[in-house]
Amino acid sequence: MDTDQLNAMRETARRFARREVAPLVGTEGRDGDLARLPGVLARAAEAGLMASPDPDAAGFEYGVWGRASLDEGAAASVAVLEELAVECAGVAACVHFAGLGALELAGAPADCGSGPVAVALLGPGWRVSWPAFDAPPPGAVQLGAGGLLGACKFVCGAPSTRDYVVYAAGVHGWERALVSAAAEGLTAAKVDPRTGLAAVRVAHLHFEAVEVASAQRFGPATPRAYVRRLMLGLAALAVGNARGALREARRYAGERFQGGARIEDHAAVRLLLGDSASRVAAAAAWLREAAGAEAAQGGDEESVALWRALAAKLRCGKECGQAVTDCLQVLGGYGYMEEYRLEKRLRDAMTTEAMAVEPNTLRLLCATDPGGLP
Amino acid sequence: MSDRIKPKGARERLDPLGQLLFDTDATPIWDHDTATLSRPLRRLRYRYRDFAQKHLAPLGLAADRDPDFVDIPELFMRAAREGFGTEFMPPPWGTLQITAVWGGLLLPSALKAEEFCAADGGLGLALLAHELGIAPLFIAGNLKEHFHWLGLIYREIKAGEPALAAFAITEPGAGSDVEDTEGARTARLGCFYERGEGGFRINGRKVFITDGAVARWVTLFAAEKGRGVDTWTCFLLDKSMAGFEGGRRERKMGQRAADASELILEDVFVPDDRVVGEVGAGWAINRNVLNFSRPVVGAIALGIARGAFEHAARFCNETRLGGRHLVDYQDVQLTLADMLMKLSAMRATVWHATRYRLPFQAAGAIAKTFCSDTAWDVCTSAMTLLGDHGYVHAASVEKAVRDARLTQIYEGTNQINRLAIFEGQLGAEFGSDCADCAAAAQCHAESGDMGGPS
């Protein structure tokens, strides 16, 4: 995808976010009018912004994590997610997780699933590490003759998730299995209430001898590519959310007065805005570089691309989290009130940073040089 | 071999006197710190903790989800029955222990704030705001008023009436302005009084008033009609006054159990004897109330951070990952150690600030700003330690993060407090005229020059 196409995609997402997502957030309710979420997601799918396993769907190829991302890279999906998150990180997260699920089915047999899918990888008993990308660690869900056995924690998806792609330890290493949310032996406990990203459905899954037909098993496949996209998408959420916070803080600072002058004229406020703006700019640049990294499957380049994605999630989460809290500070007491939506942005930022792989683990992962880093 | 290398094992190789000098007991920091206090303060600290853990901690999460879940006046009376609502006067009027304030006027309040907020930041604030509400009666320095009005409020409380008090300075167009010298000069005020027969007529609105919805008494600041804060006067209002009503209750990010409400005044008649201090002395009273309250806000931040730390430490001790407990991972140990180090520094700052003979501007602002910024760091570290569990409400830590964030805003944003540190200490030492500083800063800002060192 060339720069013009990428910009066009970004512009389409921006217009959609302003027209459809911003009204959902509004000023009422802690996280907006989430009853409107299914409609917004359906229109995102119609607009081709959201991928689906259905080959006839508008976003099948070029939606977020559509099939085109296998050949053309992550840049387009990351750009769309960033623009959606400018208005609402929660909605962007739904699009992200649904897209990740859809793409997992790219290697599946033809009769596997058609729709909304969530990916289950992380478990309660193991910590993400470089060796775990190549071989399932003790504690991963087991896939054997007796079906799926074990548990996955914090599985994220769109509210209407119907199926799960489960990364499990098979005979030859990591394998994937497609499981219906209604499968016998599968229990899903919703994780609520949570800090932010309220639009996303988060659940703990417990597998008790869940049968998996051979047609629904596919792999072997390491979770490297999935984790890379997962990290890039969360980093995009962080950047978009912080851009939105900066926009709101600037608007407020230009309208309100303190000490007889607009608050944007006070050094105390300008320092906050300057810090925030430079943090967001740095994070955005880093994200775009990480999203543009080539990821040829299996080679050193894949490891470098994964490292960049992990580092992007770590650094974008940190820098953008600080930017959002500084933007909230610009609004003073109003920033702490729900109706100004800065506090929602901060809650979303906190959740994005903690989600999937938390910062300490990311730091440990980034300590390893995968080879080929400048 | 390894036991003899660890401090406890190594200690046994010393002579008895050497062993006495080598403290290897795994005593919690809380007990170490408590041991440094005078006996009355030690007793108070234990009592505050016991009350908070028994009455506040079990209600915190539910009160955060639904602020109406807890009956704040009823909870206040539970605290009052322990003597925790009448601590600004000694017996027979109140429950102040003279020996407890000997080492510092504010130290008991700081101890209480830490313990209450370690149990729950929102409920802690709801109870502590009462002291802020009655502080002007004490700080105005008029003993007759002090004994009359504070005595009356305390008699009500002792009679079983939940006579909570609230402190009302913030206005819709004047938040930071009423907490800062430069802002005050040009503040756009919206709450005014006019003199009348036998008293004053007050009109206007106040916003973000903690306990505004549940307080019976309100110390409220208003300016003479059409004039600025130099005419600010403090009035003692009660909710039974005609024209005095509560407005909307704000929906906040955290500390949700404590309401932040609007107060609406429509031609409220306030008799002459309800003026606190002198007419026109309101600004002075307000400034000194902030000097007294800011160290306590530092203690609130400290308490919230300690609560987050305790939840996180417990989680790491109980949770297994990759075949061992989280607490056995070195990176987790480093993070916990960082958090404990910061808590110790916060406590040292608060206790130091409260041990001055009298609170003063820089000391209060330093304690408030340092502790609230550091509490944010500690709470976000706690969230990090919990990983995905960190954003789950039931784990309590995300609530602490939300609660902590407010301490960087109220009692003056931390930016305003930094200016207060300069004004109160450095500006005074350097003989700097803050009006000139502000004008210069504005000029620099307009020209794009941020006024860095030249």
Side-chain angles (χ1 to χ4, degrees):
Chain A
M1 187 173 277
D2 63 30
T3 306
D4 288 344
Q5 288 172 312
L6 192 61
N7 287 340
M9 196 83 184
R10 191 180 278 280
E11 186 55 34
T12 301
R14 185 178 297 153
R15 282 201 303 271
F16 179 85
R18 284 182 184 161
R19 187 178 69 245
E20 299 285 351
V21 180
L24 178 150
V25 176
T27 58
E28 291 299 315
R30 190 171 185 236
D31 292 285
D33 184 3
L34 292 179
R36 297 168 70 168
L37 179 63
V40 170
L41 293 178
R43 286 190 287 281
E46 285 166 15
L49 295 173
M50 186 170 162
S52 161
D54 179 359
D56 296 328
F60 180 78
E61 279 293 332
Y62 290 101
V64 169
W65 307 122
R67 298 294 161 99
S69 61
L70 292 172
D71 298 323
E72 298 186 18
S77 293
V78 164
V80 171
L81 289 172
E82 187 186 324
E83 295 305 326
L84 295 177
V86 170
E87 301 302 337
C88 178
V91 171
C94 288
V95 172
H96 176 41
F97 291 121
L100 288 172
L103 193 60
E104 285 296 311
L105 295 182
D111 59 347
C112 261
S114 61
V117 180
V119 183
L121 167 66
L122 304 173
W126 61 279
R127 194 174 197 186
V128 176
S129 64
W130 285 100
F133 293 136
D134 297 323
V141 173
Q142 300 295 306
L143 178 57
L148 281 171
L149 203 63
C152 284
K153 289 258 180 183
F154 301 105
V155 178
C156 299
S160 54
T161 296
R162 291 218 312 251
D163 298 300
Y164 296 102
V165 168
V166 184
Y167 275 88
V171 178
H172 303 295
W174 283 113
E175 287 190 44
R176 284 174 289 175
L178 182 73
V179 180
S180 163
E184 197 170 328
L186 168 60
T187 51
K190 277 179 74 178
V191 181
D192 273 322
R194 290 172 280 121
T195 311
L197 300 184
V200 178
R201 181 183 187 277
V202 182
H204 295 325
L205 304 184
H206 187 78
F207 304 95
E208 186 67 48
V210 176
E211 271 189 42
V212 182
S214 58
Q216 290 171 318
R217 292 171 67 150
F218 47 105
T222 82
R224 283 171 172 252
Y226 164 70
V227 172
R228 175 172 175 256
R229 294 185 190 105
L230 174 65
M231 296 296 109
L232 287 174
L234 291 172
L237 263 55
V239 172
N241 184 42
R243 277 177 51 201
L246 184 59
R247 179 190 69 192
E248 298 307 317
R250 280 186 163 140
R251 179 185 301 164
Y252 182 91
E255 291 171 352
R256 303 283 294 201
F257 284 79
Q258 198 254 328
R262 282 184 208 283
I263 64 170
E264 68 182 2
D265 291 333
H266 291 273
V269 170
R270 293 180 74 85
L271 290 172
L272 290 170
L273 289 174
D275 258 351
S276 300
S278 56
R279 286 180 197 280
V280 174
W286 179 252
L287 171 66
R288 286 165 200 179
E289 186 183 324
E294 292 297 322
Q297 198 164 7
D300 284 349
E301 284 179 348
E302 186 191 34
S303 291
V304 172
L306 175 56
W307 186 96
R308 287 189 186 283
L310 294 164
K313 203 257 180 184
L314 172 65
R315 285 271 64 91
C316 293
K318 285 264 172 240
E319 298 304 320
C320 293
Q322 187 60 49
V324 174
T325 196
D326 283 348
C327 288
L328 185 152
Q329 192 74 6
V330 169
L331 274 71
Y334 289 107
Y336 200 70
M337 303 303 152
E338 287 181 359
E339 68 188 280
Y340 283 81
R341 291 301 187 223
L342 262 295
E343 69 88 33
K344 174 188 179 296
R345 289 186 183 279
L346 183 55
R347 287 188 286 109
D348 286 347
M350 288 156 54
T351 307
T352 306
E353 191 178 1
M355 184 169 263
V357 186
E358 42 73 33
N360 270 3
T361 302
L362 287 171
R363 290 162 68 195
L364 295 172
L365 288 165
C366 288
T368 298
D369 181 356
L373 285 175
Chain B
M1 171 68 180
S2 62
D3 283 349
R4 289 170 61 189
I5 291 177
K6 287 180 178 173
K8 208 163 191 170
R11 175 178 176 269
E12 287 169 11
R13 306 180 78 177
L14 292 171
D15 289 332
L17 181 58
Q19 290 190 26
L20 276 177
L21 294 170
F22 193 176
D23 185 352
T24 57
D25 279 351
T27 306
I29 289 274
W30 193 92
D31 295 302
H32 272 301
D33 288 343
T34 305
T36 67
L37 297 170
S38 66
R39 185 188 296 266
L41 284 169
R42 284 204 296 271
R43 277 196 60 228
L44 266 181
R45 197 170 194 225
Y46 275 103
R47 290 183 58 221
Y48 290 142
R49 184 174 70 171
D50 291 347
F51 176 84
Q53 292 303 319
K54 183 178 175 188
H55 294 282
L56 307 188
L59 301 174
L61 286 176
D64 179 64
R65 285 195 300 274
D66 174 13
D68 292 328
F69 178 80
V70 176
D71 181 345
I72 295 297
E74 190 276 330
L75 185 67
F76 172 73
M77 286 315 301
R78 274 193 252 167
R81 282 191 286 276
E82 297 287 335
F84 300 157
T86 49
E87 292 172 288
F88 275 14
M89 291 175 84
W93 305 279
T95 49
L96 170 72
Q97 294 182 41
I98 299 287
T99 50
V101 294
W102 203 251
L105 217 49
L106 286 174
L107 192 46
S109 295
L111 297 179
K112 180 160 70 173
E114 181 186 341
E115 296 309 322
F116 281 18
C117 293
D120 185 74
L123 294 170
L125 176 67
L127 299 183
L128 295 163
H130 168 69
E131 290 185 355
L132 182 64
I134 56 177
L137 299 173
F138 164 69
I139 280 168
N142 184 319
L143 282 177
K144 191 176 160 194
E145 279 172 12
H146 179 94
F147 278 91
H148 179 71
W149 292 112
L150 207 49
L152 174 68
I153 293 169
Y154 281 6
R155 277 198 302 281
E156 288 182 348
I157 293 170
K158 286 182 167 184
E161 295 290 323
L164 276 152
F167 178 70
I169 56 171
T170 307
E171 299 180 6
S176 295
D177 280 337
V178 296
E179 289 153 342
D180 167 53
T181 301
E182 293 315 311
R185 290 186 206 278
T186 49
R188 297 180 174 193
L189 300 175
C191 191
F192 295 102
Y193 68 80
E194 289 178 274
R195 281 179 184 275
E197 179 92 13
F200 301 80
R201 295 270 170 196
I202 305 181
N203 284 282
R205 285 197 301 148
K206 295 285 179 180
V207 292
F208 303 157
I209 307 306
T210 303
D211 283 352
V214 295
R216 175 177 295 180
W217 299 92
V218 180
T219 44
L220 182 140
F221 295 72
E224 189 176 348
K225 190 171 184 186
R227 298 185 63 188
V229 291
D230 58 325
T231 67
W232 242 21
T233 301
C234 180
F235 300 94
L236 178 64
L237 276 65
D238 66 78
K239 286 280 185 65
S240 65
M241 289 176 161
F244 187 27
E245 289 180 4
R248 60 171 280 166
R249 180 176 173 155
E250 299 291 345
R251 293 178 287 119
K252 296 186 291 181
M253 182 185 194
Q255 301 196 15
R256 289 158 61 88
D259 75 88
S261 299
E262 182 183 29
L263 297 175
I264 301 166
L265 300 102
E266 290 183 352
D267 217 22
V268 178
F269 177 73
V270 182
D272 284 328
D273 67 349
R274 294 295 187 93
V275 173
V276 178
E278 299 296 320
V279 172
W283 181 244
I285 294 170
N286 172 51
R287 292 302 296 260
N288 206 25
V289 167
L290 293 175
N291 292 346
F292 276 70
S293 63
R294 283 172 173 164
V296 181
V297 172
I300 289 174
L302 163 62
I304 293 169
R306 197 186 98 202
F309 169 79
E310 289 170 352
H311 284 297
R314 199 175 306 126
F315 178 88
C316 293
N317 199 35
E318 292 170 354
T319 305
R320 291 181 73 83
L321 189 67
R324 51 187 170 143
H325 284 104
L326 267 179
V327 79
D328 293 328
Y329 286 89
Q330 196 177 68
D331 59 296
V332 172
Q333 294 170 358
L334 292 168
T335 305
L336 286 169
D338 259 348
M339 293 161 71
L340 190 57
M341 187 166 67
K342 287 173 181 170
L343 289 172
S344 289
M346 290 161 75
R347 190 171 297 111
T349 304
V350 169
W351 287 16
H352 183 68
T354 56
R355 279 173 164 148
Y356 287 116
R357 189 176 55 82
L358 275 176
F360 57 94
Q361 184 166 314
I366 287 169
K368 188 269 186 190
T369 306
F370 175 74
C371 290
S372 56
D373 282 350
T374 311
W376 175 253
D377 290 344
V378 170
C379 290
T380 51
S381 293
M383 201 163 160
T384 293
L385 282 177
L386 268 68
D388 279 277
H389 292 273
Y391 57 77
V392 179
H393 184 257
S396 291
V397 169
E398 67 89 28
K399 177 184 171 303
V401 181
R402 290 186 284 110
D403 288 350
R405 188 62 185 80
L406 183 54
T407 62
Q408 295 176 299
I409 296 172
Y410 58 27
E411 299 304 277
T413 64
N414 281 3
Q415 285 66 38
I416 289 291
N417 271 272
R418 285 183 169 88
L419 295 175
I421 293 166
F422 179 85
E423 181 193 51
Q425 207 62 42
L426 302 173
E429 286 177 19
F430 301 157
S432 165
D433 184 333
C434 287
D436 288 348
C437 290
Q442 190 172 332
C443 179
H444 285 309
E446 284 163 359
S447 66
D449 172 3
M450 293 310 297
S454 55

